């Protein structure tokens, strides 16, 4: 398994489907950015720099305990 890549089972509210229908690939790039690839299609990538990724991480920890 690539330590810089995770596959997360998610749900797409836009396209529907059952819970866990969508695969969200999260990759830590060589430049340090974090890239989110919904549907593993590469057509719509969300890229977070280190500061943005930290804000997301802190929010998830706060929300999930």
């Amino acid at each position: 398994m690539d330590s810089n890549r995770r596959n997360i089972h998610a749900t797409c509210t836009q396209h529907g489907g059952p819970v866990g229908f969508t695969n969200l690939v999260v990759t830590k790039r060589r430049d340090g950015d974090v890239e989110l690839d919904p549907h593993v299609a590469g057509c719509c990538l969300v890229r977070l720099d280190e500061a943005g990724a930290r804000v997301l991480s802190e929010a998830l920890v706060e929300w999930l305990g």
Side-chain angles (χ1 to χ4, degrees), residues 1-3 5 8 10 15-16 18 20 22 24 27 33-34 40-42 44 46 48 51 53 57-59:
M1 180 172 95
D2 185 345
S3 64
R5 178 173 240 171
I8 301 169
H15 297 102
T22 301
L24 171 65
T27 305
D33 287 357
V34 173
V40 197
C44 180
V46 177
L48 302 170
S57 173
E58 291 167 3

Side-chain angles (χ1 to χ4, degrees), residues 7 10 12 14 18 24-25 30 35 41 56 61-63:
N7 182 34
C12 178
Q14 177 67 29
L24 171 65
V25 174
R30 289 179 157 230
E35 188 173 82
L56 177 58
V61 167
E62 178 183 334
W63 296 339

